[in-house]
């Protein structure tokens, strides 16, 4: 048995990048930032680390949602598989 599933909750770093493929379908690329915050146990200093995730959406219904409702800074939840 195996599982290929990813869940990302974060903020968009840019407006959605919508492009047309040769077939006429559109594809959406998102750049999502996730930030981890913690306090260093030895120094008490607050720290943070941001990771960037590139997500590509091919589903036309979801591409339309991205086009119409998302913009830079939007909080998003994305679930899918890694490729």
């Amino acid at each position: 048995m195996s599982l290929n599933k990813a869940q990302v909750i974060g903020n968009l770093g840019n407006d959605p990048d919508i492009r047309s493929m040769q077939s006429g379908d559109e594809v959406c690329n998102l750049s999502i930032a996730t930030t981890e915050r913690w306090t260093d146990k030895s120094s008490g200093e607050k720290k943070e680390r941001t990771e960037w995730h590139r997500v590509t959406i091919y589903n036309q219904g979801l591409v339309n949602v991205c086009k119409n409702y998302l913009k830079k800074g939007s909080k998003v939840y994305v679930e899918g598989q890694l490729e």
Side-chain angles (χ1 to χ4, degrees), residues 7-20:
Q7 298 173 316
V8 176
I9 300 172
N11 294 82
L12 292 184
N14 297 306
D15 288 337
D17 180 23
I18 310 293
R19 296 177 187 252
S20 294

Side-chain angles (χ1 to χ4, degrees), residues 28-70:
C28 176
N29 290 303
L30 302 176
S31 182
I32 303 173
T34 56
T35 303
E36 177 184 9
R37 293 178 178 90
W38 71 95
T39 302
D40 187 287
K41 290 181 181 178
S42 60
S43 68
E45 181 183 355
K46 293 190 184 289
K47 297 192 173 194
E48 74 175 40
R49 177 178 58 225
T50 301
E51 302 245 358
W52 290 93
H53 310 272
R54 296 283 301 153
V55 175
T56 302
I57 299 172
Y58 295 99
N59 178 288
Q60 294 305 293
L62 293 177
V63 169
N64 285 332
V65 168
C66 292
K67 266 196 323 195
N68 295 318
Y69 297 102
L70 298 182

